[in-house]
Amino acid sequence: MPLRGDFLWGGAIAANQAEGAYQSGGKGMSLVDILPSGIERRNALENPGRTIKTDYGYYPSHESINFYENYKEDIKLFAEMGFKIFRMSISWPRIFPNGDDEKPNEAGLGFYDDVFDELHKYGIEPLVTINHFDTPLALFEKYGGWKNRKLVDFYERYARVLFDRYGNKVKYWLTHNEINMLLHIPFFGAAIDVSESENPDQDKYQSAHHQLVASSIATKIANETNTDIQIGCMLAAGEVYYNTPAPKDVYAALKANREQYFFIDVQSRGYYPSYAWKLFDDLGIELKIKDGDLELLKENTVDFISFSYYSSRLVSADPEVNRQLQGGNAFDSLRNPYLEASDWGWQIDPLGLRITMNQVYDRYQKPLFIVENGLGAKDELTEDGKVYDDYRIDYMKEHLVEMINAVDDGVELWGYTSWGCIDLVSAGTGEMKKRYGFIYVDRDNEGNGTDRRYKKKSFDWYRSVINSNGKNL
Ligand code: BGP
């Protein structure tokens, strides 16, 4: 089966990694705004209580690539590549600066109106993430983040404002970015600090329950607003392989896969899977569920499944072997001897994309959308204003081949948005130098640079991929 004629090719960014202007237009502080860049960041993403300081010097994300002011120029470049869709997020604290405000911030709402209008001018469909690691900082400081039930109400108020305002401008929505990340980097994913928790798992899964309920409420509001709206969940995906055929390793991999699918099982099927109740027992978790929550989950499942894919993972049941676990996009994995890795140690597994797509589709039988995939690399701008990023083209080509193979296997796929289609600040390291884009932005880790945009070699390559609907790879 070939790709559909209306396949949605495009690129993806997130507000907190691209907009900059972190205090302009009445925006409040986001939890990301206080996070350091570089090696100190990983601890802070997990447990800010132990590590957070008030001044880390220069924060690349505060200015980022200034999409806030440059969006017209950037969208023009996306249109030149032939984008059909553009994934972006709305900054929650741009709309509700403190998260618990009674009224939204009109300047923030107006900004996104302008961005959507600009996209539509070129016939580009927006795909909007409501919460992309961007909970208002005040909701952490005042309420302790998503473990607090009140966050469901604040998110509901926020979602209602978005659907009221943009329900006729935006068709595709995602409720939370990489919802399963909250188990691995809980501060980033759920604005919770588990360093002082009596039972960190209790706080993580309680936060998960609140995000799942909030997601259902948003889905309900969306469907009441405009029946054309399509709501998706968003999973940080990547099949977990077993280290050896020993049955105990196979079982360890099955459990690790369930840890990610847990969220999507609820959002897609509408109920907690039976294994979840056993897991809660084992972890000593008593989930607080309000009357009506389970009905909300049941009645408001998602229309499609979106996910990011950067790598597969490898686990063992043997604690000795697991001493060699290493980080990669916040997940730990054993080194797979059959795979190479990026400069940041993320293992590269194009066939893993085909495997993951088939697994996810087999499990849910709903349309899929790849909303993140790409290579973070150190790019060099030459004197003639070029970036010869053949390594990025190779990476993407290999992944797109497997994506198309998966469609040929019978997987229903709506679209593909490559991550960081324009260079932006890394979520994991907070740095500028980890670049993903087809468009180079002249700005470095220390804030030097002109902010000028340059087309990389991959820019023309991706344009031709889109023009040929994936035939010219
Ligand atoms: C995902 C996030 C993105 C993005 C990407 C790449 O986990 O959803 O926001 O940044 O990973 O990660 P990084 O920026 O750390 O290279």
Side-chain angles (χ1 to χ4, degrees):
M1 230 181 301
L3 294 182
R4 328 159 31 130
D6 59 356
F7 190 77
L8 293 165
W9 291 99
I13 65 165
N16 73 78
Q17 293 171 255
E19 285 177 6
Y22 82 116
Q23 287 180 313
S24 306
K27 177 181 169 293
M29 291 287 278
S30 166
L31 53 88
V32 192
D33 296 330
I34 60 162
L35 291 176
S37 60
I39 46 167
E40 290 179 290
R41 190 171 175 98
R42 177 66 196 261
N43 276 338
L45 297 178
E46 288 175 34
N47 287 316
R50 279 210 293 267
T51 51
I52 218 80
K53 299 188 290 203
T54 46
D55 186 9
Y56 283 104
Y58 181 69
Y59 295 73
S61 66
H62 287 182
E63 278 91 37
S64 192
I65 59 159
N66 198 8
F67 181 76
Y68 189 68
E69 284 173 345
N70 278 286
Y71 69 91
K72 286 192 179 162
E73 187 193 338
D74 296 338
I75 290 171
K76 193 165 175 226
L77 289 167
F78 302 150
E80 201 182 319
M81 276 187 278
F83 279 21
K84 316 279 180 231
I85 197 155
F86 175 57
R87 177 179 176 229
M88 52 182 278
S89 70
I90 290 181
S91 160
W92 187 350
R94 221 178 258 298
I95 308 301
F96 286 97
N98 302 295
D100 61 356
D101 317 71
E102 288 297 324
K103 294 253 170 317
N105 169 32
E106 181 51 40
L109 288 169
F111 168 67
Y112 293 106
D113 264 324
D114 293 346
V115 173
F116 298 144
D117 292 346
E118 195 67 18
L119 288 166
H120 286 306
K121 199 167 108 184
Y122 296 101
I124 301 175
E125 199 75 55
L127 162 59
V128 172
T129 315
I130 297 175
N131 176 26
H132 191 127
F133 300 148
D134 218 351
T135 304
L137 182 60
L139 294 185
F140 165 66
E141 292 172 338
K142 232 167 127 178
Y143 302 94
W146 276 95
K147 65 176 189 280
N148 188 329
R149 176 82 199 195
K150 287 208 168 76
L151 272 274
V152 177
D153 302 334
F154 298 136
Y155 180 95
E156 175 175 354
R157 190 184 300 169
Y158 167 50
R160 200 173 286 285
V161 164
L162 299 189
F163 289 118
D164 270 358
R165 180 88 170 212
Y166 311 124
N168 292 321
K169 282 189 184 184
V170 179
K171 180 173 171 190
Y172 299 97
W173 296 81
L174 307 178
T175 49
H176 301 281
N177 181 59
E178 297 191 331
I179 187 163
N180 50 320
M181 275 294 183
L182 76 83
L183 298 179
H184 306 274
I185 41 176
F187 183 62
F188 218 28
I192 52 171
D193 178 0
V194 296
S195 56
E196 306 293 329
S197 299
E198 255 174 55
N199 179 354
D201 292 317
Q202 169 74 38
D203 288 348
K204 288 184 198 174
Y205 278 98
Q206 191 62 54
S207 301
H209 178 69
H210 292 153
Q211 290 200 353
L212 290 166
V213 171
S215 175
S216 293
I217 293 173
T219 305
K220 185 167 190 280
I221 300 169
N223 291 333
E224 285 164 3
T225 311
N226 178 348
T227 47
D228 284 344
I229 288 179
Q230 302 286 338
I231 296 275
C233 51
M234 198 313 198
L235 168 75
E239 186 65 14
V240 184
Y241 302 157
Y242 33 89
N243 194 37
T244 76
K248 60 184 176 24
D249 280 350
V250 178
Y251 187 65
L254 180 141
K255 272 175 57 180
N257 274 313
R258 277 179 171 172
E259 196 179 83
Q260 48 175 326
Y261 289 131
F262 158 80
F263 294 86
I264 312 306
D265 283 353
V266 179
Q267 289 178 290
S268 181
R269 297 169 173 165
Y271 54 90
Y272 278 101
S274 48
Y275 66 80
W277 304 112
K278 163 85 166 68
L279 179 77
F280 297 155
D281 260 5
D282 290 349
L283 298 176
I285 294 170
E286 277 180 49
L287 212 58
K288 291 185 208 76
I289 298 178
K290 251 177 89 170
D291 279 356
D293 281 0
L294 297 180
E295 289 72 18
L296 273 169
L297 296 176
K298 178 105 219 143
E299 286 159 16
N300 301 285
T301 52
V302 292
D303 301 307
F304 68 102
I305 317 283
S306 85
F307 63 91
S308 60
Y309 176 82
Y310 294 95
S311 188
S312 55
R313 286 189 285 149
L314 184 64
V315 297
S316 163
D318 183 341
E320 260 317 297
V321 177
N322 280 338
R323 278 161 174 268
Q324 287 150 39
L325 285 169
Q326 300 173 4
N329 199 17
F331 298 122
D332 290 333
S333 170
L334 296 170
R335 176 65 68 212
N336 186 328
Y338 297 95
L339 302 179
E340 292 185 353
S342 77
D343 290 347
W344 273 266
W346 294 23
Q347 302 190 73
I348 300 173
D349 182 10
L351 181 55
L353 174 60
R354 181 180 187 176
I355 295 167
T356 301
M357 288 173 70
N358 275 285
Q359 294 285 24
V360 176
Y361 192 66
D362 283 356
R363 195 166 179 124
Y364 304 114
Q365 298 284 297
K366 285 191 184 179
L368 306 189
F369 207 130
I370 302 171
V371 294
E372 285 187 33
N373 171 241
L375 178 70
K378 291 177 199 140
D379 289 338
E380 206 181 313
L381 185 67
T382 58
E383 279 182 5
D384 57 340
K386 283 298 234 187
V387 175
Y388 296 96
D389 55 344
D390 295 270
Y391 39 90
R392 179 166 294 109
I393 295 173
D394 291 345
Y395 174 102
M396 291 194 62
K397 195 183 287 184
E398 288 167 15
H399 283 78
L400 291 178
V401 164
E402 298 302 346
M403 174 187 93
I404 292 167
N405 283 338
V407 171
D408 194 46
D409 291 336
V411 171
E412 185 181 358
L413 181 69
W414 281 358
Y416 173 92
T417 58
S418 98
W419 175 250
C421 47
I422 179 167
D423 290 348
L424 38 61
V425 172
S426 153
T429 72
E431 298 170 306
M432 257 319 291
K433 74 170 182 214
K434 189 178 186 190
R435 297 171 184 272
Y436 285 85
F438 306 115
I439 301 162
Y440 183 91
V441 180
D442 180 25
R443 179 161 273 262
D444 68 14
N445 276 354
E446 286 72 44
N448 307 308
T450 58
D451 269 355
R452 245 189 86 178
R453 275 61 171 152
Y454 296 87
K455 297 174 197 171
K456 300 182 194 176
K457 187 172 177 187
S458 55
F459 183 100
D460 291 324
W461 171 80
Y462 196 48
R463 178 172 49 195
S464 150
V465 171
I466 297 177
N467 276 343
S468 64
N469 199 25
K471 289 197 183 68
N472 299 343
L473 288 177

